[in-house]
Amino acid sequence: MPRDFTTIVSGLPRSGTSMAMQMIVAGGIAPLTDALRAPDADNPRGYFELERVKSLRTDKAWLDEARGKVVKVIHALIPELPDDRPYRVVFLERDLREVVQSQTTMLARSSKAGGALPPERLMAIYGQQLAQVRAWLSARANFAVLEVRHADFMRDAATQARAIAAFLGDDLDVAAMTAAVDPSLHRNRA
């Protein structure tokens, strides 16, 4: 089925966006990625990222290549997407305690220093950012949004795969999408 929209996977860092990308790609939608960021211990199946997305504020030319494909865009850059085309956004939600714990683990594993903010303050900031992005998305007619909870993927991947397939066009391979979820990779739990 030809898709005349761009599929966006978004959410906070460490919210399950790579897992959602894996599912959607397994289902049959081609990704827009550059494979510059290699799989590692934190994402053994890969990150599915496009480096140019980080420059979305100043470089939107790559969006023409994204039509009919799926691309990952971090939550903070969603408002930089232009209103001149249709999007379907699969937005990942994860318990903020798990997000912060996963980020802390990832930074420690890579020997990088994290921010100096205490976890409670960081969770409050993330909560504010998510509220702002949701409000921005809800005010845009060219953005359809499906919010998906990370915990629901872990409990029942098949139901989430069916919901995503219905949202993106029922021609996706739901069995392959379901098989792409590996609950053993859910290592940081609240």
Side-chain angles (χ1 to χ4, degrees), residues 117-162:
L117 295 176
E120 296 77 21
R121 180 68 184 129
L122 188 55
M123 287 187 286
I125 290 169
Y126 281 156
Q128 291 170 343
Q129 290 175 351
L130 290 173
Q132 290 170 344
V133 170
R134 284 185 180 107
W136 188 90
L137 284 166
S138 69
R140 307 267 167 331
N142 60 318
F143 284 82
V145 180
L146 175 68
E147 293 196 13
V148 184
R149 291 173 25 95
H150 182 273
D152 293 341
F153 275 115
M154 297 300 106
R155 270 193 294 274
D156 185 1
T159 297
Q160 301 314 307
R162 285 191 297 274

Side-chain angles (χ1 to χ4, degrees), residues 63-170:
L63 280 165
D64 292 334
E65 298 173 52
R67 178 171 251 133
K69 296 180 181 176
V70 59
V71 62
K72 185 167 34 166
V73 177
I74 193 72
H75 73 290
L77 290 177
I78 289 288
E80 298 299 328
L81 291 166
D83 286 339
D84 64 350
R85 63 195 75 214
Y87 304 92
R88 295 207 186 161
V89 180
V90 177
F91 201 91
L92 274 289
E93 299 175 17
R94 186 173 182 184
D95 184 306
L96 293 178
R97 294 169 297 175
E98 289 187 3
V99 167
V100 171
Q101 182 180 357
S102 182
Q103 289 174 347
T104 301
T105 301
M106 184 175 169
L107 289 170
R109 192 183 330 265
S110 64
S111 300
K112 292 181 181 173
L117 295 176
E120 296 77 21
R121 180 68 184 129
L122 188 55
M123 287 187 286
I125 290 169
Y126 281 156
Q128 291 170 343
Q129 290 175 351
L130 290 173
Q132 290 170 344
V133 170
R134 284 185 180 107
W136 188 90
L137 284 166
S138 69
R140 307 267 167 331
N142 60 318
F143 284 82
V145 180
L146 175 68
E147 293 196 13
V148 184
R149 291 173 25 95
H150 182 273
D152 293 341
F153 275 115
M154 297 300 106
R155 270 193 294 274
D156 185 1
T159 297
Q160 301 314 307
R162 285 191 297 274
I164 291 170
F167 179 64
L168 298 178
D170 279 318

